[in-house]
Short mmCIF file of all heavy atoms in Angstrom, two decimals:
data_model
loop_
_atom_site.label_atom_id
_atom_site.label_comp_id
_atom_site.label_asym_id
_atom_site.label_seq_id
_atom_site.Cartn_x
_atom_site.Cartn_y
_atom_site.Cartn_z
N LYS A 82 42.07 -11.79 6.41
CA LYS A 82 40.81 -12.05 5.73
C LYS A 82 39.97 -10.77 5.79
O LYS A 82 39.99 -10.00 6.71
CB LYS A 82 40.02 -13.17 6.45
CG LYS A 82 40.60 -14.50 6.19
CD LYS A 82 39.70 -15.57 6.82
CE LYS A 82 40.25 -16.92 6.63
NZ LYS A 82 39.37 -17.92 7.21
N ARG A 83 39.18 -10.65 4.72
CA ARG A 83 38.22 -9.53 4.63
C ARG A 83 36.90 -10.05 4.05
O ARG A 83 36.91 -10.67 3.03
CB ARG A 83 38.78 -8.46 3.72
CG ARG A 83 37.90 -7.26 3.73
CD ARG A 83 38.57 -6.17 2.92
NE ARG A 83 37.61 -5.07 2.69
CZ ARG A 83 37.72 -4.14 1.83
NH1 ARG A 83 38.80 -4.05 1.12
NH2 ARG A 83 36.79 -3.17 1.75
N PHE A 84 35.83 -9.80 4.76
CA PHE A 84 34.51 -10.25 4.35
C PHE A 84 33.66 -9.01 4.06
O PHE A 84 33.66 -8.07 4.85
CB PHE A 84 33.87 -11.09 5.42
CG PHE A 84 34.59 -12.40 5.75
CD1 PHE A 84 35.41 -12.41 6.81
CD2 PHE A 84 34.43 -13.45 4.96
CE1 PHE A 84 36.11 -13.57 7.13
CE2 PHE A 84 35.10 -14.63 5.19
CZ PHE A 84 35.99 -14.70 6.36
N GLN A 85 32.94 -9.07 2.98
CA GLN A 85 32.04 -7.95 2.61
C GLN A 85 30.70 -8.51 2.27
O GLN A 85 30.59 -9.56 1.57
CB GLN A 85 32.58 -7.17 1.41
CG GLN A 85 33.79 -6.35 1.73
CD GLN A 85 34.18 -5.52 0.52
OE1 GLN A 85 34.40 -6.02 -0.53
NE2 GLN A 85 34.27 -4.20 0.73
N GLN A 86 29.66 -7.80 2.71
CA GLN A 86 28.30 -8.12 2.30
C GLN A 86 28.03 -7.40 0.97
O GLN A 86 28.53 -6.28 0.83
CB GLN A 86 27.28 -7.64 3.39
CG GLN A 86 27.50 -8.36 4.71
CD GLN A 86 27.11 -9.76 4.69
OE1 GLN A 86 26.08 -10.15 4.10
NE2 GLN A 86 27.88 -10.60 5.35
N ARG A 87 27.28 -8.04 0.15
CA ARG A 87 26.92 -7.38 -1.15
C ARG A 87 25.53 -7.84 -1.51
O ARG A 87 25.01 -8.84 -1.07
CB ARG A 87 27.92 -7.73 -2.22
CG ARG A 87 27.94 -9.18 -2.62
CD ARG A 87 29.00 -9.45 -3.67
NE ARG A 87 28.92 -10.87 -4.05
CZ ARG A 87 29.60 -11.36 -4.98
NH1 ARG A 87 30.47 -10.66 -5.70
NH2 ARG A 87 29.51 -12.65 -5.27
N TYR A 88 25.00 -7.07 -2.43
CA TYR A 88 23.68 -7.43 -3.04
C TYR A 88 23.59 -7.00 -4.48
O TYR A 88 24.39 -6.18 -4.89
CB TYR A 88 22.49 -6.85 -2.22
CG TYR A 88 22.39 -5.37 -2.29
CD1 TYR A 88 21.54 -4.78 -3.15
CD2 TYR A 88 23.13 -4.51 -1.45
CE1 TYR A 88 21.40 -3.39 -3.26
CE2 TYR A 88 22.99 -3.12 -1.53
CZ TYR A 88 22.11 -2.59 -2.40
OH TYR A 88 22.02 -1.23 -2.50
N ARG A 89 22.67 -7.56 -5.20
CA ARG A 89 22.49 -7.23 -6.64
C ARG A 89 21.61 -6.08 -6.79
O ARG A 89 20.57 -5.98 -6.14
CB ARG A 89 21.94 -8.42 -7.42
CG ARG A 89 22.78 -9.65 -7.44
CD ARG A 89 23.85 -9.62 -8.40
NE ARG A 89 23.43 -9.45 -9.78
CZ ARG A 89 24.17 -9.55 -10.81
NH1 ARG A 89 25.45 -9.80 -10.68
NH2 ARG A 89 23.73 -9.37 -11.99
N ASP A 90 22.04 -5.11 -7.57
CA ASP A 90 21.16 -4.01 -8.01
C ASP A 90 21.13 -4.06 -9.53
O ASP A 90 22.12 -3.51 -10.17
CB ASP A 90 21.70 -2.69 -7.46
CG ASP A 90 20.83 -1.51 -7.79
OD1 ASP A 90 19.64 -1.78 -8.28
OD2 ASP A 90 21.30 -0.36 -7.65
N GLY A 91 20.18 -4.70 -10.14
CA GLY A 91 20.17 -4.87 -11.54
C GLY A 91 21.25 -5.87 -11.93
O GLY A 91 21.35 -6.96 -11.46
N ARG A 92 22.21 -5.42 -12.78
CA ARG A 92 23.33 -6.25 -13.18
C ARG A 92 24.67 -6.02 -12.46
O ARG A 92 25.62 -6.67 -12.74
CB ARG A 92 23.55 -6.03 -14.73
CG ARG A 92 22.32 -6.37 -15.52
CD ARG A 92 22.65 -6.32 -17.01
NE ARG A 92 23.69 -7.30 -17.18
CZ ARG A 92 23.95 -7.81 -18.39
NH1 ARG A 92 23.29 -7.44 -19.41
NH2 ARG A 92 24.92 -8.72 -18.52
N ARG A 93 24.61 -5.12 -11.46
CA ARG A 93 25.85 -4.88 -10.76
C ARG A 93 25.75 -5.25 -9.24
O ARG A 93 24.71 -5.38 -8.70
CB ARG A 93 26.23 -3.43 -10.86
CG ARG A 93 25.29 -2.47 -10.14
CD ARG A 93 25.59 -1.02 -10.42
NE ARG A 93 24.61 -0.14 -9.78
CZ ARG A 93 24.76 0.52 -8.71
NH1 ARG A 93 25.92 0.43 -8.05
NH2 ARG A 93 23.80 1.19 -8.15
N TRP A 94 26.88 -5.51 -8.68
CA TRP A 94 27.04 -5.84 -7.25
C TRP A 94 27.23 -4.55 -6.51
O TRP A 94 28.05 -3.70 -6.92
CB TRP A 94 28.20 -6.83 -7.00
CG TRP A 94 27.89 -8.19 -7.39
CD1 TRP A 94 28.48 -8.80 -8.49
CD2 TRP A 94 27.05 -9.13 -6.74
NE1 TRP A 94 27.97 -10.10 -8.54
CE2 TRP A 94 27.11 -10.33 -7.52
CE3 TRP A 94 26.26 -9.11 -5.64
CZ2 TRP A 94 26.37 -11.44 -7.17
CZ3 TRP A 94 25.51 -10.23 -5.30
CH2 TRP A 94 25.61 -11.39 -6.05
N VAL A 95 26.57 -4.36 -5.35
CA VAL A 95 26.76 -3.23 -4.57
C VAL A 95 27.28 -3.69 -3.19
O VAL A 95 26.76 -4.64 -2.59
CB VAL A 95 25.37 -2.48 -4.33
CG1 VAL A 95 25.51 -1.30 -3.41
CG2 VAL A 95 24.79 -2.07 -5.69
N TYR A 96 28.34 -3.06 -2.74
CA TYR A 96 29.01 -3.44 -1.52
C TYR A 96 28.75 -2.45 -0.33
O TYR A 96 29.61 -1.94 0.31
CB TYR A 96 30.51 -3.48 -1.72
CG TYR A 96 30.93 -4.64 -2.59
CD1 TYR A 96 31.00 -4.52 -3.98
CD2 TYR A 96 31.23 -5.89 -1.99
CE1 TYR A 96 31.37 -5.58 -4.78
CE2 TYR A 96 31.50 -6.98 -2.81
CZ TYR A 96 31.65 -6.80 -4.21
OH TYR A 96 31.89 -7.87 -4.98
N ARG A 97 27.51 -2.21 -0.09
CA ARG A 97 27.07 -1.40 1.03
C ARG A 97 25.69 -1.83 1.44
O ARG A 97 25.02 -2.47 0.68
CB ARG A 97 27.11 0.10 0.75
CG ARG A 97 26.15 0.49 -0.34
CD ARG A 97 26.14 2.02 -0.58
NE ARG A 97 25.60 2.31 -1.88
CZ ARG A 97 24.28 2.18 -2.17
NH1 ARG A 97 23.43 1.74 -1.37
NH2 ARG A 97 23.88 2.55 -3.41
N LYS A 98 25.30 -1.46 2.64
CA LYS A 98 23.95 -1.84 3.06
C LYS A 98 22.90 -1.03 2.30
O LYS A 98 23.06 0.18 2.19
CB LYS A 98 23.76 -1.61 4.58
CG LYS A 98 24.53 -2.53 5.44
CD LYS A 98 24.20 -2.21 6.91
CE LYS A 98 25.04 -3.13 7.79
NZ LYS A 98 24.80 -2.75 9.22
N PRO A 99 21.85 -1.60 1.80
CA PRO A 99 20.81 -0.87 1.17
C PRO A 99 20.03 -0.04 2.19
O PRO A 99 19.99 -0.40 3.36
CB PRO A 99 19.89 -1.97 0.54
CG PRO A 99 20.21 -3.18 1.26
CD PRO A 99 21.56 -3.08 1.82
N GLU A 100 19.43 1.03 1.73
CA GLU A 100 18.62 1.86 2.61
C GLU A 100 17.43 0.99 3.17
O GLU A 100 16.86 0.23 2.49
CB GLU A 100 18.01 3.05 1.81
CG GLU A 100 19.06 4.02 1.27
CD GLU A 100 19.74 4.75 2.47
OE1 GLU A 100 19.10 5.09 3.43
OE2 GLU A 100 20.94 5.01 2.30
N GLY A 101 17.23 1.21 4.50
CA GLY A 101 16.13 0.47 5.16
C GLY A 101 16.45 -1.03 5.37
O GLY A 101 15.49 -1.74 5.62
N PHE A 102 17.74 -1.38 5.28
CA PHE A 102 18.07 -2.74 5.52
C PHE A 102 17.79 -3.18 6.91
O PHE A 102 18.15 -2.51 7.90
CB PHE A 102 19.59 -2.93 5.25
CG PHE A 102 20.17 -4.27 5.55
CD1 PHE A 102 19.84 -5.36 4.67
CD2 PHE A 102 20.85 -4.51 6.70
CE1 PHE A 102 20.37 -6.63 4.93
CE2 PHE A 102 21.37 -5.78 6.93
CZ PHE A 102 21.12 -6.77 6.07
N THR A 103 17.13 -4.33 7.07
CA THR A 103 16.86 -4.91 8.34
C THR A 103 17.58 -6.28 8.44
O THR A 103 17.22 -7.17 7.73
CB THR A 103 15.32 -5.13 8.56
OG1 THR A 103 14.68 -3.87 8.43
CG2 THR A 103 15.07 -5.66 9.93
N PRO A 104 18.56 -6.42 9.31
CA PRO A 104 19.28 -7.69 9.41
C PRO A 104 18.31 -8.82 9.89
O PRO A 104 17.43 -8.54 10.65
CB PRO A 104 20.35 -7.46 10.39
CG PRO A 104 20.24 -6.04 10.88
CD PRO A 104 19.05 -5.46 10.25
N VAL A 105 18.55 -10.02 9.43
CA VAL A 105 17.81 -11.19 9.83
C VAL A 105 18.79 -12.29 10.29
O VAL A 105 19.93 -12.27 9.96
CB VAL A 105 16.92 -11.70 8.71
CG1 VAL A 105 15.86 -10.70 8.30
CG2 VAL A 105 17.73 -12.10 7.47
N LEU A 106 18.25 -13.24 11.04
CA LEU A 106 19.08 -14.40 11.47
C LEU A 106 19.07 -15.44 10.39
O LEU A 106 18.09 -15.73 9.76
CB LEU A 106 18.51 -14.95 12.74
CG LEU A 106 18.70 -14.04 13.95
CD1 LEU A 106 17.92 -14.61 15.12
CD2 LEU A 106 20.17 -13.89 14.33
N TYR A 107 20.19 -16.08 10.23
CA TYR A 107 20.37 -17.31 9.32
C TYR A 107 19.80 -18.46 10.04
O TYR A 107 20.08 -18.66 11.21
CB TYR A 107 21.84 -17.45 9.01
CG TYR A 107 22.16 -18.54 8.10
CD1 TYR A 107 21.85 -18.50 6.77
CD2 TYR A 107 22.77 -19.71 8.59
CE1 TYR A 107 22.18 -19.52 5.95
CE2 TYR A 107 23.07 -20.78 7.75
CZ TYR A 107 22.76 -20.67 6.44
OH TYR A 107 23.04 -21.72 5.62
N ARG A 108 18.95 -19.26 9.39
CA ARG A 108 18.34 -20.47 9.95
C ARG A 108 17.52 -20.06 11.20
O ARG A 108 17.53 -20.76 12.21
CB ARG A 108 19.33 -21.51 10.29
CG ARG A 108 20.17 -22.03 9.07
CD ARG A 108 21.06 -23.18 9.43
NE ARG A 108 20.35 -24.34 9.79
CZ ARG A 108 19.83 -25.23 8.95
NH1 ARG A 108 19.96 -25.10 7.63
NH2 ARG A 108 19.20 -26.31 9.35
N SER A 109 16.73 -19.00 11.06
CA SER A 109 15.97 -18.53 12.22
C SER A 109 14.88 -19.49 12.68
O SER A 109 14.49 -19.43 13.76
CB SER A 109 15.34 -17.13 11.93
OG SER A 109 14.44 -17.25 10.82
N SER A 110 14.46 -20.38 11.85
CA SER A 110 13.48 -21.41 12.25
C SER A 110 13.97 -22.28 13.35
O SER A 110 13.22 -22.86 14.08
CB SER A 110 13.12 -22.24 11.06
OG SER A 110 14.17 -23.00 10.56
N ALA A 111 15.33 -22.34 13.56
CA ALA A 111 15.90 -23.10 14.64
C ALA A 111 15.46 -22.61 16.01
O ALA A 111 15.32 -23.38 16.95
CB ALA A 111 17.43 -23.16 14.52
N ILE A 112 15.14 -21.33 16.07
CA ILE A 112 14.74 -20.76 17.36
C ILE A 112 13.38 -21.37 17.80
O ILE A 112 13.18 -21.72 18.93
CB ILE A 112 14.62 -19.21 17.28
CG1 ILE A 112 16.00 -18.64 16.94
CG2 ILE A 112 14.11 -18.64 18.60
CD1 ILE A 112 16.00 -17.17 16.59
N GLY A 113 12.46 -21.37 16.83
CA GLY A 113 11.15 -21.99 17.14
C GLY A 113 11.26 -23.47 17.53
O GLY A 113 10.60 -23.96 18.44
N THR A 114 12.10 -24.18 16.81
CA THR A 114 12.33 -25.59 17.13
C THR A 114 12.93 -25.74 18.50
O THR A 114 12.53 -26.63 19.28
CB THR A 114 13.28 -26.21 16.07
OG1 THR A 114 12.70 -26.07 14.78
CG2 THR A 114 13.50 -27.68 16.32
N ALA A 115 13.88 -24.91 18.85
CA ALA A 115 14.51 -24.96 20.19
C ALA A 115 13.44 -24.70 21.26
O ALA A 115 13.43 -25.45 22.31
CB ALA A 115 15.65 -23.95 20.30
N ALA A 116 12.56 -23.74 21.03
CA ALA A 116 11.55 -23.45 22.02
C ALA A 116 10.51 -24.63 22.20
O ALA A 116 10.13 -24.96 23.30
CB ALA A 116 10.79 -22.17 21.65
#
Side-chain angles (χ1 to χ4, degrees):
K82 288 185 180 181
R83 184 175 171 195
F84 298 97
Q85 288 185 304
Q86 299 289 319
R87 66 181 182 173
Y88 69 96
R89 296 279 300 186
D90 183 12
R92 298 188 63 160
R93 65 186 177 101
W94 287 106
V95 178
Y96 290 89
R97 61 176 163 69
K98 289 182 184 177
E100 294 294 321
F102 174 76
T103 302
V105 296
L106 291 171
Y107 179 73
R108 300 185 66 84
S109 62
S110 63
I112 298 168
T114 303

